[in-house]
């Protein structure tokens, strides 16, 4: 979120971007996935356009937290248990 969509396109490999798109889709954040699909296909378009689209899809970090929590509630077995000792 800090550097914007164009920054993300510049620092991640295509494989990493495709994994991020898949991750957004997994967590039900299809609009965010589409932002990066569009940005990949349309490099060179004014980065503000992509940023505005991303901010509409993901207005704040809480939106990501809510998507995770929703997925966790619907599919808790998809996540490994947390080892309390490793986080102490």
């Amino acid at each position: 979120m800090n550097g914007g969509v164009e920054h993300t396109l510049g620092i991640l490999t295509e494989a990493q971007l495709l994994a991020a798109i898949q991750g957004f889709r997994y967590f039900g954040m299809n609009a965010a996935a589409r932002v990066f699909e569009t940005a990949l296909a349309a490099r060179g378009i004014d980065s503000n356009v992509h940023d505005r689209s991303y901010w509409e899809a993901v207005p704040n970090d809480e939106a990501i937290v809510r998507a995770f929590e929703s997925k966790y509630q619907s599919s808790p077995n998809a996540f490994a248990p947390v080892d309390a000792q490793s986080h102490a």
Side-chain angles (χ1 to χ4, degrees):
M1 289 187 84
N2 281 345
V5 174
E6 197 65 33
H7 176 74
T8 302
L9 294 176
I11 64 168
L12 297 181
T13 66
E14 187 167 337
Q16 290 170 320
L17 286 165
L18 294 173
I21 290 166
Q22 190 175 29
F24 278 125
R25 291 216 184 280
Y26 178 79
F27 286 101
M29 301 184 79
N30 295 320
R34 280 191 301 276
V35 169
F36 286 98
E37 288 171 333
T38 301
L40 270 172
R43 290 183 187 241
I45 288 182
D46 179 11
S47 63
N48 291 322
V49 171
H50 299 308
D51 288 344
R52 281 192 298 275
S53 295
Y54 182 79
W55 294 328
E56 286 178 21
V58 186
N60 53 45
D61 291 340
E62 185 61 29
I64 295 171
V65 171
R66 282 191 311 273
F68 168 79
E69 289 174 343
S70 177
K71 185 66 170 182
Y72 181 76
Q73 290 297 318
S74 68
S75 304
N77 292 331
F79 299 90
V82 175
D83 179 6
Q85 290 182 332
S86 67
H87 295 288

